Amino acid sequence: QKEVEQNSGPLSVPEGAIASLNCTYSDRGSQSFFWYRQYSGKSPELIMFIYSNGDKEDGRFTAQLNKASQYVSLLIRDSQPSDSATYLCAVSGVSGAGSYQLTFGKGTKLSVIP
Amino acid sequence: DAGVIQSPRHEVTEMGQEVTLRCKPISGHDYLFWYRQTMMRGLELLIYFNNNVPIDDSGMPEDRFSAKMPNASFSTLKIQPSEPRDSAVYFCASSRTGGGNTIYFGEGSWLTVV
């Protein structure tokens, strides 16, 4: 059974600070890793995906992947109150059709304090 | 391009009644997923289809749940008979081969069984 673990939070950061969200996964063969943002009462929306070890930057967001440690993180620079949401880490299956099957963590609730 | 469309958005029903949730995936997407989200269990994959064929239904909780995809643009998730513990948000999502395993969610169907 694949598992994806996240600290449920809430994680509170002041406006303008860096928010760091972490995720670990159990299936060493996982190939693709995703961060989704979910506002209260809304559906999850994709923020970033990462496939290779290292960092991937997109605007204020940086995803970091360490396959040896089975660890994924998301950094949000210059945090804004509008970033307040639950962040879901998702991990894909190993190969073929299974690679489209995402397992989600329960999410970390982020609160950015003005 | 229209996103994933789900109906109904909200449903309140009495225990024992049949519930049918509907989904229209994004045009051109060949993968369709049904997820259920609760506070306790997070976002769980119930079943997914590729080219209208069910690939993995191991997440379907019990025989009361069934899903069909009669064509590329329509899917249903049926609960019969419904129970209070089925109360959750049910999300439909879709993806396409070669789309980087990225899945896109509908707005969800909020089900309350009383």
Side-chain angles (χ1 to χ4, degrees), chain A residues 12-102:
Chain A
S12 295
V13 299
E15 183 175 356
I18 296 175
S20 178
L21 305 163
N22 305 313
C23 170
T24 59
Y25 60 95
S26 64
D27 190 343
R28 187 170 289 277
S30 298
Q31 299 291 319
S32 306
F33 307 86
F34 303 82
W35 285 99
Y36 282 78
R37 177 177 61 199
Q38 187 174 25
Y39 291 113
S40 180
K42 301 295 186 181
S43 60
E45 57 179 334
L46 181 68
I47 299 176
M48 289 191 70
F49 58 86
I50 186 167
Y51 304 140
S52 304
N53 277 328
D55 295 359
K56 179 182 179 182
E57 186 174 318
D58 184 0
R60 295 187 297 113
F61 298 94
T62 299
Q64 300 175 316
L65 173 61
N66 184 327
K67 289 187 177 180
S69 300
Q70 296 174 238
Y71 177 91
V72 193
S73 65
L74 179 70
L75 302 178
I76 307 175
R77 290 182 299 280
D78 187 23
S79 296
Q80 301 297 309
S82 59
D83 295 326
S84 298
T86 296
Y87 289 79
L88 303 171
C89 173
V91 176
S92 74
V94 174
S95 63
S99 68
Y100 291 85
Q101 181 176 347
L102 298 189

Side-chain angles (χ1 to χ4, degrees), chain B residues 56-110:
Chain B
D56 187 348
D57 66 354
S58 60
M60 297 285 262
E62 48 199 273
D63 292 345
R64 297 185 298 107
F65 286 69
S66 62
K68 294 182 180 180
M69 192 166 185
N71 58 62
S73 58
F74 184 68
S75 178
T76 59
L77 178 67
K78 188 172 293 187
I79 309 172
Q80 167 63 22
S82 58
E83 296 182 3
R85 59 191 168 124
D86 301 330
S87 298
V89 184
Y90 291 82
F91 287 105
C92 179
S94 71
S95 181
R96 64 176 180 85
T97 301
N101 313 117
T102 301
I103 66 173
Y104 299 89
F105 285 84
E107 292 295 311
S109 293
W110 297 68

Side-chain angles (χ1 to χ4, degrees), chain B residues 16-67:
Chain B
Q17 297 297 307
E18 178 178 291
V19 174
T20 300
L21 307 178
R22 299 172 178 80
C23 175
K24 175 180 170 56
I26 294 172
S27 178
H29 281 196
D30 54 342
Y31 283 88
L32 184 139
F33 307 84
W34 282 101
Y35 282 87
R36 177 174 67 176
Q37 188 174 40
T38 61
M39 289 292 292
M40 286 295 293
R41 300 175 70 88
L43 199 58
E44 302 174 282
L45 178 64
L46 300 178
I47 185 171
Y48 76 100
F49 297 82
N50 179 220
N51 291 322
N52 314 336
V53 176
I55 303 300
D56 187 348
D57 66 354
S58 60
M60 297 285 262
E62 48 199 273
D63 292 345
R64 297 185 298 107
F65 286 69
S66 62

